[in-house]
Amino acid sequence: MEYVTALPHPRSEAPAPVRSGRRSLALALFCGALGAAVALLASRQGWSSGTVSVAGGAFPLTATGSEVTGVPAALAIVGLAALVAVLAVRGAGRLLVAGLLALSGAGTVAAALLGSGNGSALDEKAARAAGDTAATATALTHTAWPYVAALGGALILLAGLLALRYSRLWPAMSGRYERDGTPRPRKVRPVDPDRPEDLWKALDRGEDPTGA
């Protein structure tokens, strides 16, 4: 009596370059999207605060990240657009977009760190509140939000570096919906001699409905 042992067929695994491409693509998309969201969120928060002396006493002042500098938010949007565009192009164009993505992240980091100790936005508010162009803000304090924005920029930079390193392994958007401008042949239903409307349509197209 023979016994047949059913052995499971070995599962076919994707080649190593394909696995690396999938993992790097997923990581880049995650880091880029998260970094842009973090930078945009941090730019809306208060980065610094202070006071200015007015007739009624000390007047409180607060400056958000977008008031201190609009560069991190702008570069985060550019980075997010580049993250999407890197999948829509191929070859050298993909490397250029990946470089733009990395530069957006690096610029976001630099702008956030430079704005972490900037008090010019508070000084402008102090001058308006006091009605004196020479008035400046005092008792300045700074929050951690600029460093949160810098962290978001670092994530965008990481996405750009991953794109520069692995984008050649990434798939591109399908081009089956792209039109090259050439006219497509129109499907014409066969003429039914028993249907007068088909005969008239055939005559309008310049065809002989009798098929002679």
Side-chain angles (χ1 to χ4, degrees):
M1 183 175 182
E2 297 182 356
Y3 294 92
V4 179
T5 304
L7 297 177
H9 294 284
R11 297 173 61 184
S12 59
E13 296 184 357
V18 175
R19 293 197 304 270
S20 298
R22 291 174 180 173
R23 293 171 182 172
S24 59
L25 174 59
L27 183 59
L29 292 175
F30 175 77
C31 291
L34 178 61
V38 168
L40 290 172
L41 174 64
S43 297
R44 298 178 180 179
Q45 309 304 316
W47 282 23
S48 57
S49 60
T51 59
V52 61
S53 298
V54 295
F59 185 79
L61 303 170
T62 302
T64 64
S66 58
E67 292 173 333
V68 174
T69 172
V71 175
L75 289 180
I77 295 175
V78 172
L80 194 59
L83 183 65
V84 177
V86 75
L87 297 177
V89 295
R90 298 180 178 87
R94 174 168 286 186
L95 292 178
L96 290 176
V97 176
L100 177 61
L101 177 60
L103 290 176
S104 299
T108 301
V109 173
L113 294 179
L114 289 175
S116 61
N118 191 337
S120 59
L122 287 177
D123 290 338
E124 293 177 1
K125 288 190 173 185
R128 290 196 299 267
D132 182 4
T133 56
T136 57
T138 58
L140 299 180
T141 58
H142 301 278
T143 68
W145 283 110
Y147 302 101
V148 176
L151 175 61
L155 291 174
I156 299 174
L157 174 60
L158 176 59
L161 295 177
L162 287 171
L164 287 172
R165 174 65 178 84
Y166 295 102
S167 62
R168 60 184 179 83
L169 304 176
W170 295 354
M173 290 183 179
S174 176
R176 66 175 181 173
Y177 298 110
E178 298 176 0
R179 302 188 61 178
D180 55 3
T182 57
R184 297 182 179 181
R186 185 175 56 182
K187 294 182 179 179
V188 180
R189 188 176 61 183
V191 177
D192 186 356
D194 297 331
R195 295 172 59 89
E197 59 271 21
D198 286 357
L199 297 176
W200 284 111
K201 290 179 180 179
L203 291 174
D204 290 339
R205 293 194 299 267
E207 301 175 358
D208 183 3
T210 62

